[in-house]
Amino acid sequence: MKIPSIQELFNFPPLVEVHIGPLDFSINRIVVLIWLATCFTAAFYLIAFRRPKIVPTGLQNLAEAVVDFVRQGIVFQVMGPEGERFVPFLTTLFSFIFTLNVFEITPLINMPVSSRMAIPMLLTLVVYVVFNFVGFSRGPISYLKGVLFPPEVPLPLYLLVTPIEAISVFVMRPVSLAVRLFANMVAGHIILAIFFATTAATFWPIKITSLFTPLPLAFSIVLVGFELFVSALQAYVFTILSGLYIADAMHPAH
């Protein structure tokens, strides 16, 4: 068994070809997985809270734990009480990204959807629109002044600081947010594919190298657990940075 190429790992032919003029709306495996992640995330919360109880049990207990984790561990930590209104948005963001990520180790799927750059870019675009909307809604002049002209900076240094701040906030923030998620999931998927392919290659056909099969298999099992942790961690990092950017937009002068 040969180790799959990068193209085989990440490129999928269209299942249904749809073209409208020069635009390609074809449906491939990635599109189906995005629909599946969307339906799963929505169904999880709709079912969990369809008949809420004062003392939660079962799925409601798990859903409330996720919401409380986002509220206490992200919103209140980086945004304060004023960020309470963003709990639904950030909870949805965290849950959706985690679902996309955990597809990597889901049997019969084995594909982290966020390893396709278009997905982190789209999620980042949503966050970019939200935090800039929050900033500009508080007053375009005060927002831009707080972003481009940080307080307590000597006046001559604004010639250097202002362009750096503009690039940092309006360019580097979205780029780094998208690339961080994309790069981590791509790396994890490639490593898992290599170890599982190596396990299969040493095991079959039966030969002397089959004696070494337990070694790559053990590493593969450990990596599955590690990728579960990475899936949650990257969802958390993306969400907490999104909350931080929104908080900065709410109070640009600080």
Side-chain angles (χ1 to χ4, degrees), residues 24-244:
D24 186 357
F25 293 97
S26 298
I27 300 171
N28 61 10
R29 186 185 176 199
I30 298 298
V31 175
V32 174
L33 291 178
I34 293 172
W35 291 345
L36 181 62
T38 303
C39 293
F40 178 83
T41 305
F44 173 72
Y45 288 105
L46 289 174
I47 294 173
F49 294 116
R50 73 187 187 282
R51 294 175 184 170
K53 301 176 181 178
I54 297 177
V55 180
T57 58
L59 202 60
Q60 182 187 344
N61 196 33
L62 177 59
E64 287 195 7
V66 176
V67 174
D68 191 59
F69 168 74
V70 174
R71 177 184 286 111
Q72 300 294 334
I74 296 178
V75 173
F76 285 177
Q77 289 292 325
V78 302
M79 304 176 73
E82 193 178 355
E84 178 76 22
R85 59 196 172 109
F86 292 101
V87 170
F89 170 68
L90 294 177
T91 301
T92 302
L93 193 64
F94 173 81
S95 304
F96 184 62
I97 293 174
F98 175 73
T99 304
L100 294 177
N101 292 349
V102 84
F103 278 167
E104 177 181 14
I105 57 174
T106 302
L108 304 179
I109 296 181
N110 303 115
M111 177 63 197
V113 183
S114 46
S115 65
R116 296 294 294 266
M117 188 58 183
I119 311 305
M121 284 177 61
L122 179 59
L123 294 171
T124 299
L125 178 61
V126 173
V127 174
Y128 187 79
V129 170
V130 169
F131 82 73
N132 277 297
F133 176 80
V134 170
F136 282 111
S137 66
R138 288 179 167 264
I141 295 178
S142 62
Y143 176 54
L144 292 175
K145 180 181 177 182
V147 169
L148 302 179
F149 301 96
E152 300 180 4
V153 174
L155 189 60
L157 287 182
Y158 280 126
L159 293 174
L160 178 63
V161 171
T162 297
I164 292 176
E165 288 295 319
I167 295 173
S168 174
V169 172
F170 297 113
V171 178
M172 294 310 300
R173 277 186 179 181
V175 170
S176 63
L177 195 62
V179 170
R180 183 183 292 106
L181 176 60
F182 163 75
N184 277 280
M185 300 316 298
V186 166
H189 189 50
I190 292 174
I191 293 172
L192 270 180
I194 290 174
F195 273 95
F196 276 111
T198 302
T199 301
T202 57
F203 177 73
W204 190 264
I206 301 296
K207 49 187 179 299
I208 189 63
T209 57
S210 300
L211 297 174
F212 300 98
T213 298
L215 187 59
L217 178 60
F219 274 110
S220 300
I221 295 172
V222 171
L223 283 171
V224 167
F226 180 71
E227 284 304 310
L228 176 61
F229 168 74
V230 171
S231 296
L233 178 63
Q234 291 305 314
Y236 171 76
V237 169
F238 193 101
T239 307
I240 197 170
L241 287 177
S242 300
L244 182 62

